[in-house]
Amino acid sequence: MSETDLPAPPWDRNRRRPAPAKVPLTRERIVDAAFTVLDREGYDRFSMRQVALELGVAVSALYVHVANKDELFELMYNRTFDGAELPDPDPENWQEQIKEFARRGRARLRSHRDLARISMGHVPFSPELLPHVERLMAIFRSSGMPDLVAAMAGDLLSTYIEGFCLEESMWLERYRDMDEATWETKRNEIMGYFAELPPDRFPNMVAMAPYMVDESNDYRFELGVDILVRGLASYIGRASGSAGSAAP
Amino acid sequence: MSETDLPAPPWDRNRRRPAPAKVPLTRERIVDAAFTVLDREGYDRFSMRQVALELGVAVSALYVHVANKDELFELMYNRTFDGAELPDPDPENWQEQIKEFARRGRARLRSHRDLARISMGHVPFSPELLPHVERLMAIFRSSGMPDLVAAMAGDLLSTYIEGFCLEESMWLERYRDMDEATWETKRNEIMGYFAELPPDRFPNMVAMAPYMVDESNDYRFELGVDILVRGLASYIGRASGSAGSAAP
DNA sequence: TTCTAGCATGAACAGTGTTCAGCAGACAAG
DNA sequence: CTTGTCTGCTGAACACTGTTCATGCTAGAA
């Protein structure tokens, strides 16, 4: 027990600095803290200052390890893929494999508040993420679809997952601090809004009001994935993809 | 010609204020200016101060007409739908109608710099936009697909269009101030990066390198829409959509 | 013990969105 | 022609933001 354990005498409180962190600052620790802040504050209130505060460190210290806010977001984005694994391709079963990939993608994007906002527009071509893309492509190609379609499929699926989760998270944020009861009333308001539109001008909206709000997000997500997978499947065993007309 | 047309004498330049704008400030004019600023500065440098500057007006004046930045973005978003028209549903031709809708959606999102970033996450349920959704739904329903699928189709298609345009615009921004030559080299660099990955660990990426970069955006967009439309078509004339297995 | 290299510091800069007391000018009432 | 209210704009301020930089502390090497 050296004297450094004692509190600094009041007269030189200003001269002394706080003891240097026992744990050195690293990118890993910064990313950890960043997630803590994101979960607590959300995307809009996320700031470098909050992250520094969380670590008990000056803001400028962060910039020694991280070039800027964007790079920090990219590190966070990469981090969310830790432990994500894709199975070996099984040509008989590619559709289910793709659907499972989509489900896990959604789960990943829901694992932190507003994560979808950070993910949006990130292309997963960093060295850390390439193996994931490789394995996804393996599954697509094993299905027998043309390479051009497979290349598009990856984009298409990722766009869908991210877009869906973004929209989902916006609703979640909007109703974040609402108890079950007020949320129930709010939902009825929305349903009512659609149902009570003038039926002469909005016949289709009125007819579809139940489906616009009522279906659970899980089911909607699954349906979307199914539509995509069916579209992809329609390209198997044909001439490669010109924009010809559709199905059976 | 009253004396107000003369320049103010130098000694009371500080006392006098600039003559009140002959043209009164309106939401319309603010939105116009906002687009000018957006096109010049891009999303990241867009600010209320810049908009005010563009109009020759104090920042706080904007807040008389517009609640906040988000509302201004929403007004801009709505504005982009001005003059967008959808045809009457033609059941024989719904697929082409949908594709045309998608093309126009992309054109709309490309009509202003970074517009895709503003659009993302906006739900088109404002009173101004409901008629558009109504007509889109009319086309979907005329195809004979189950209502539940039609409801999903709108979301799915919008998500695709916006996601595609967002990604597209990020590349456009990244290479905004690059001449044709350096862009050519850059593109070859990227192609090379994929082509020269270790082929034992990345066989699929290497095989698909040409398709990842080479295809034009127009063609990629068209292909994506085609996949979606085929997926939707596969739901026509069957029992309504449980997530059963796929195509023909 | 001395030196050095690297890391964290606080202060500063140039911006941001948003609010608010107060004033200029137009228009209506007397 | 005066008076007064009302509206819409102003300027200044607040509380933040991301990012940079000279300064100086501290740990490990010589």
Side-chain angles (χ1 to χ4, degrees):
Chain A
M1 292 242 175
S2 78
E3 51 118 33
T4 54
D5 286 306
L6 298 172
W11 57 84
D12 62 3
R13 272 268 165 76
N14 296 339
R15 229 182 43 78
R16 288 243 183 141
R17 330 199 138 192
K22 303 102 211 160
V23 193
L25 208 49
T26 61
R27 288 174 151 236
E28 307 309 319
R29 287 189 61 225
I30 292 176
V31 173
D32 288 345
F35 273 120
T36 309
V37 171
L38 185 68
D39 288 329
R40 194 194 325 121
E41 308 286 339
Y43 183 87
D44 288 322
R45 303 198 152 164
F46 179 97
S47 78
M48 298 301 268
R49 258 140 178 126
Q50 286 289 330
V51 176
L53 212 87
E54 181 69 28
L55 289 160
V57 123
V59 211
S60 38
L62 303 178
Y63 286 87
V64 177
H65 304 270
V66 155
N68 49 36
K69 201 187 181 184
D70 275 352
E71 191 186 278
L72 177 51
F73 279 153
E74 204 179 308
L75 291 174
M76 295 169 78
Y77 176 70
N78 284 350
R79 164 75 67 86
T80 64
F81 285 89
D82 281 6
E85 289 297 335
L86 277 155
D88 288 324
D90 171 8
E92 300 303 308
N93 212 20
W94 69 272
Q95 304 197 14
E96 185 50 33
Q97 287 188 315
I98 290 305
K99 289 182 181 182
E100 189 56 27
F101 166 81
R103 286 179 205 118
R104 287 151 92 121
R106 175 158 171 249
R108 186 171 57 75
L109 289 176
R110 288 167 56 116
S111 68
H112 292 286
R113 184 175 171 191
D114 280 341
L115 185 57
R117 301 230 340 238
I118 291 178
S119 283
M120 204 79 231
H122 276 237
V123 192
F125 286 167
S126 62
E128 299 92 319
L129 266 37
L130 267 188
H132 292 279
V133 183
E134 169 68 20
R135 293 188 70 84
L136 183 62
M137 287 304 153
I139 296 177
F140 279 132
R141 294 183 87 205
S142 80
S143 75
M145 66 180 71
D147 279 358
L148 182 54
V149 176
M152 191 66 208
D155 260 25
L156 196 54
L157 198 60
S158 305
T159 300
Y160 171 66
I161 298 169
E162 287 183 6
F164 187 96
C165 289
L166 183 65
E167 200 181 317
E168 191 176 21
S169 82
M170 309 256 313
W171 288 104
L172 277 164
E173 282 299 306
R174 195 191 282 267
Y175 300 117
R176 158 162 279 266
D177 29 38
M178 247 187 202
D179 50 59
E180 190 58 37
T182 46
W183 160 237
E184 195 69 30
T185 17
K186 203 81 197 164
R187 212 181 58 156
N188 285 339
E189 268 177 46
I190 299 174
M191 288 248 306
Y193 174 67
F194 284 114
E196 284 162 30
L197 287 169
D200 49 329
R201 290 173 52 211
F202 298 98
N204 294 289
M205 301 257 66
V206 173
M208 295 174 59
Y211 305 112
M212 305 289 269
V213 198
D214 203 39
E215 291 302 328
S216 87
N217 274 349
D218 291 348
Y219 187 79
R220 285 185 357 107
F221 182 76
E222 208 67 28
L223 177 55
V225 175
D226 195 57
I227 295 171
L228 281 172
V229 168
R230 289 188 183 207
L232 292 170
S234 78
Y235 274 92
I236 294 176
R238 284 163 212 243
S240 83
S242 94
S245 82
Chain B
M1 290 238 177
S2 78
E3 50 119 35
T4 55
D5 285 305
L6 299 172
W11 56 85
D12 63 3
R13 272 267 166 74
N14 297 337
R15 227 182 44 77
R16 287 245 182 137
R17 332 198 137 191
K22 303 104 211 161
V23 193
L25 208 50
T26 61
R27 290 177 149 231
E28 308 308 320
R29 287 190 61 225
I30 292 177
V31 173
D32 288 345
F35 273 120
T36 309
V37 171
L38 185 68
D39 287 329
R40 192 193 328 121
E41 308 285 339
Y43 183 87
D44 288 323
R45 300 196 157 168
F46 180 97
S47 77
M48 297 302 268
R49 263 150 174 114
Q50 287 288 332
V51 176
L53 213 86
E54 181 67 29
L55 289 161
V57 123
V59 212
S60 36
L62 303 178
Y63 287 88
V64 178
H65 304 271
V66 155
N68 50 37
K69 201 187 182 184
D70 275 352
E71 192 187 277
L72 177 50
F73 279 152
E74 205 179 308
L75 291 175
M76 296 169 79
Y77 174 70
N78 284 351
R79 164 75 66 86
T80 64
F81 285 89
D82 281 6
E85 288 299 332
L86 278 154
D88 287 325
D90 169 9
E92 300 303 308
N93 210 21
W94 69 272
Q95 303 196 14
E96 185 49 33
Q97 288 188 316
I98 291 304
K99 288 181 181 181
E100 190 54 28
F101 166 80
R103 287 180 205 116
R104 288 152 90 120
R106 175 157 171 250
R108 186 172 56 76
L109 289 175
R110 288 166 56 114
S111 68
H112 292 286
R113 183 175 172 191
D114 280 340
L115 185 58
R117 291 202 29 210
I118 290 178
S119 282
M120 203 80 231
H122 276 236
V123 191
F125 286 167
S126 61
E128 298 93 320
L129 267 37
L130 267 187
H132 292 279
V133 183
E134 168 68 21
R135 293 187 71 83
L136 183 62
M137 286 304 152
I139 297 177
F140 280 132
R141 294 183 86 205
S142 80
S143 76
M145 66 180 70
D147 279 358
L148 182 54
V149 177
M152 192 64 209
D155 260 26
L156 197 53
L157 198 61
S158 306
T159 301
Y160 171 65
I161 298 169
E162 287 184 6
F164 187 97
C165 290
L166 182 66
E167 201 180 317
E168 192 177 21
S169 82
M170 310 257 311
W171 289 103
L172 276 166
E173 281 299 307
R174 194 191 286 266
Y175 302 116
R176 160 162 275 266
D177 27 39
M178 248 187 201
D179 52 59
E180 190 59 36
T182 45
W183 160 236
E184 195 69 30
T185 15
K186 204 79 198 168
R187 213 181 59 155
N188 285 338
E189 269 179 45
I190 299 175
M191 287 249 307
Y193 174 67
F194 283 115
E196 284 161 28
L197 288 168
D200 50 328
R201 289 171 53 210
F202 298 98
N204 294 290
M205 301 257 67
V206 173
M208 295 175 57
Y211 305 112
M212 305 287 268
V213 198
D214 204 40
E215 290 303 330
S216 87
N217 273 350
D218 292 347
Y219 187 80
R220 285 185 356 105
F221 182 76
E222 209 67 29
L223 178 54
V225 175
D226 193 58
I227 295 172
L228 281 172
V229 168
R230 288 187 183 208
L232 292 170
S234 78
Y235 274 93
I236 295 176
R238 285 162 210 247
S240 83
S242 93
S245 80

